[in-house]
Amino acid sequence: MIVRIMGEGQYRLSAEVLERVNELDNTIVKAVDGDDEDGFHESFEEMLNVIRSEGEHLGDEEIETSDVIVPPADTSFAEAAAEFTGEGLIPD
Amino acid sequence: MAGMSGRMSTVIKAKISKLLDKAEDPGETLDYSYTRQLESLQQVKKGIADVVTAKKRLGMQAQKLEQSVVKLDTQARQALAAGNEELARTALERKSLAQAELQSLDQQVAELQSQQDKLTESEKRLRTKIEAFRTKKEVIKAQYSAAEAQVRISEAATGVGEEMADVGLAMQRAVDKTEDMKARASAVEELEAAGTFEDLTQLGSGQDDIDRELAALGTGSMVDDELAKMKAELGQGSAPPPAELESGEGKP
């Protein structure tokens, strides 16, 4: 699976890593639903770090379409409300 | 409730379907697509230039405010040395206002710098991707039948289209921030025009404005402290000559 972090670039994720990202995705949806701003920032930060450190960064010259698009690292809590709804970024 | 990521997918799909509708000849589609990509790159460069301009403007304002702070401080000392405490207080109130404004400007300049860095990185990524597309389109033209080429083109154009959409939304965020700061910069310029940060000796009567009065309410105690400190300093050292204030406004 290919994941793009907006404003940063694309990463190729293994199934296991994607599973972890999906779990975090669900945690974030709960945090946003529960109006838990600190919880959102914590989990979102972790999600980005997992993608960056566990994923394989795609070279700029590789032309691939992403399966999942993650909003930028400076996404505010207010903006997150429109991103992390229902099943989150990754359909369960 | 489409967020940024949702909006991005919508933008990409719309762009690609428009592109594929455009031409029956795959070669033409490829060339058209490449031209659009280059245009998009130019837009990004223009966006970066706008952020740089806004940053420079704020930087120049900050410089002017720094000069005002120094000048108002000197004026306060001179006023106090001349025994005009009221004028000294006015100078310190303005100094405090200028300092607060300066701090906020510095933060904004830093914020714009970070926007500029991000956009520059994005521009570099997009440029590399477009270059890769240029190579790829020649391969597609040379090697594939029309039907097969259509599929490859769609893939390649979607891939680059995604990068373009990402840069586009990053630029939109930068532009929004820059607009906010431009509005603030204009407000500061109005304060300057109203004489708020100007040389005290150049102020005519009736130039007091409500902004300054309001600011003074909040900065009163800070000004009192500084006034006391200045008095103590002057009590110990020698006072500068009050020459410039002879014709000043604040004389009782």
Side-chain angles (χ1 to χ4, degrees):
Chain A
M1 286 285 246
I2 292 175
V3 173
R4 170 183 293 273
I5 301 176
M6 287 175 74
E8 287 182 37
Q10 295 169 294
Y11 296 83
R12 189 172 278 120
L13 265 52
S14 68
E16 300 92 81
V17 176
L18 190 73
E19 186 49 40
R20 274 176 67 194
V21 172
N22 191 15
E23 277 163 26
L24 285 164
D25 184 30
N26 295 337
T27 311
I28 295 169
V29 171
K30 275 191 205 121
V32 170
D33 275 349
D35 208 23
D36 174 9
E37 184 163 357
D38 290 344
F40 157 70
H41 283 297
E42 198 182 302
S43 302
F44 185 50
E45 187 91 338
E46 195 183 339
M47 181 196 237
L48 294 174
N49 284 336
V50 169
I51 298 170
R52 288 178 193 134
S53 59
E54 306 289 320
E56 175 205 342
H57 194 268
L58 257 64
D60 292 344
E61 70 291 339
E62 287 190 63
I63 301 177
E64 296 282 356
T65 311
S66 304
D67 300 295
V68 177
I69 293 172
V70 177
D74 63 352
T75 300
S76 67
F77 186 59
E79 287 170 328
E83 309 283 339
F84 297 93
T85 52
E87 297 187 337
L89 303 175
I90 309 168
D92 292 314
Chain B
M1 276 253 283
M4 283 174 281
S5 47
R7 218 156 59 221
M8 190 161 142
S9 311
T10 315
V11 169
I12 302 164
K13 277 179 203 144
K15 274 200 174 131
I16 302 308
S17 71
K18 203 168 142 193
L19 175 74
L20 294 177
D21 286 349
K22 198 94 186 167
E24 293 100 38
D25 174 21
E28 243 174 68
T29 313
L30 282 167
D31 291 337
Y32 174 73
S33 184
Y34 180 63
T35 308
R36 292 300 305 272
Q37 288 166 15
L38 291 178
E39 282 167 13
S40 151
L41 196 60
Q42 285 309 312
Q43 288 293 319
V44 178
K45 283 185 178 152
K46 196 181 157 292
I48 295 173
D50 284 349
V51 173
V52 171
T53 306
K55 198 184 69 185
K56 276 190 186 150
R57 186 179 174 201
L58 289 178
M60 282 192 313
Q61 278 194 344
Q63 262 182 358
K64 268 164 104 183
L65 277 176
E66 270 166 27
Q67 288 166 3
S68 294
V69 167
V70 172
K71 188 170 205 168
L72 287 165
D73 188 82
T74 308
Q75 286 179 328
R77 278 166 205 281
Q78 288 172 342
L80 209 53
N84 189 339
E85 189 172 328
E86 202 182 317
L87 186 60
R89 180 181 296 277
T90 307
L92 287 180
E93 280 166 5
R94 290 181 194 183
K95 181 188 156 192
S96 162
L97 194 62
Q99 276 172 325
E101 213 40 75
L102 191 57
Q103 207 179 11
S104 141
L105 274 183
D106 286 344
Q107 276 169 9
Q108 292 175 62
V109 169
E111 166 74 19
L112 283 183
Q113 181 63 52
S114 131
Q115 292 291 336
Q116 183 192 333
D117 293 345
K118 279 185 205 160
L119 281 182
T120 306
E121 273 296 304
S122 300
E123 191 257 347
K124 188 172 145 266
R125 270 204 305 276
L126 182 59
R127 191 156 24 94
T128 309
K129 199 142 280 189
I130 292 173
E131 191 50 37
F133 182 87
R134 194 180 67 88
T135 312
K136 198 161 189 166
K137 88 181 164 79
E138 295 313 317
V139 174
I140 294 174
K141 273 191 204 171
Q143 294 187 351
Y144 294 99
S145 69
E148 233 179 334
Q150 201 66 267
V151 177
R152 306 271 166 177
I153 291 164
S154 174
E155 280 169 6
T158 309
V160 181
E162 188 183 305
E163 197 69 47
M164 279 159 63
D166 191 3
V167 178
L169 284 171
M171 259 196 12
Q172 192 52 55
R173 276 164 86 79
V175 166
D176 289 348
K177 285 198 169 120
T178 310
E179 287 302 319
D180 285 352
M181 288 177 195
K182 273 188 194 158
R184 275 195 59 84
S186 301
V188 174
E189 271 161 15
E190 272 169 35
L191 278 179
E192 278 176 349
T196 312
F197 303 132
E198 284 296 307
D199 190 335
L200 275 180
T201 56
Q202 287 173 3
L203 268 188
S205 57
Q207 282 195 320
D208 288 0
D209 53 57
I210 299 166
D211 283 339
R212 205 178 75 221
E213 292 290 327
L214 285 174
L217 287 176
T219 59
S221 69
M222 235 165 76
V223 168
D224 282 340
D225 290 350
E226 200 166 355
L227 204 54
K229 210 173 85 192
M230 239 176 221
K231 272 185 193 167
E233 279 174 24
L234 283 171
Q236 290 159 7
S238 60
E244 273 183 41
L245 291 163
E246 299 283 47
S247 60
E249 268 297 309
K251 270 167 85 174

